[in-house]
Amino acid sequence: MEVIGKVKLIGDVQTFGANGFQKRELVVTTDDQYPQMIMIEFVQDKCDLLNSYAVGQDVKVSINLRGREWINPQGEAKYFNSVQGWRIESLSQSAAAGSNLPPVDQFQPASNVSDAEPDDLPF
């Protein structure tokens, strides 16, 4: 799954527990009719993926939905969901890459085109 939008916030790396579990949060605002602010977690080695991104940048984030069950001390089951990112791409770079094409008016029009030519396409 993917989330496309503008970076609203990039959190600092947080470290938890004796094992040094790392987490970093990213908030992306979607460009929908009713924009949503989606918080996406990057964990462990994926935290470094956010180093080259900034607030305001248009991005596409590949995500996984995670769910888990927790039994509280009273024996009741509680369920938690999280959105985990595993890849992030800048949309402004891909748009800039497409702009390397020359303007249409730099091409010469074809002079030997005729409607009388047979249509030999197989479809």
Side-chain angles (χ1 to χ4, degrees):
M1 289 193 259
E2 295 174 341
V3 174
I4 296 174
K6 189 175 293 290
V7 174
K8 180 176 177 70
L9 174 106
I10 300 175
D12 294 329
V13 176
Q14 301 171 10
T15 305
F16 302 93
N19 293 337
F21 176 80
Q22 292 186 326
K23 176 176 94 167
R24 192 169 186 190
E25 296 176 346
L26 168 76
V27 177
V28 174
T29 303
T30 65
D31 189 27
D32 299 324
Q33 180 181 358
Y34 301 104
Q36 302 295 308
M37 285 166 257
I38 309 295
M39 197 277 294
I40 303 167
E41 298 176 340
F42 285 76
V43 297
Q44 298 300 80
D45 61 329
K46 301 297 183 193
C47 293
D48 293 337
L49 295 177
L50 301 177
N51 290 343
S52 59
Y53 292 90
V55 171
Q57 200 167 0
D58 291 319
V59 294
K60 175 170 68 171
V61 183
S62 298
I63 61 165
N64 290 326
L65 293 177
R66 300 282 185 210
R68 59 196 162 279
E69 179 183 60
W70 175 68
I71 308 296
N72 70 13
Q74 293 77 29
E76 301 168 334
K78 301 287 182 178
Y79 298 93
F80 297 92
N81 298 318
S82 61
V83 179
Q84 263 187 14
W86 54 274
R87 180 173 58 197
I88 181 169
E89 301 173 50
S90 174
L91 292 180
S92 56
Q93 286 180 354
S94 61
S99 65
N100 290 338
L101 298 174
V104 173
D105 59 358
Q106 286 188 351
F107 293 101
Q108 297 294 325
S111 60
N112 58 351
V113 176
S114 167
D115 287 336
E117 299 219 8
D119 184 6
D120 60 354
L121 296 176
F123 49 89

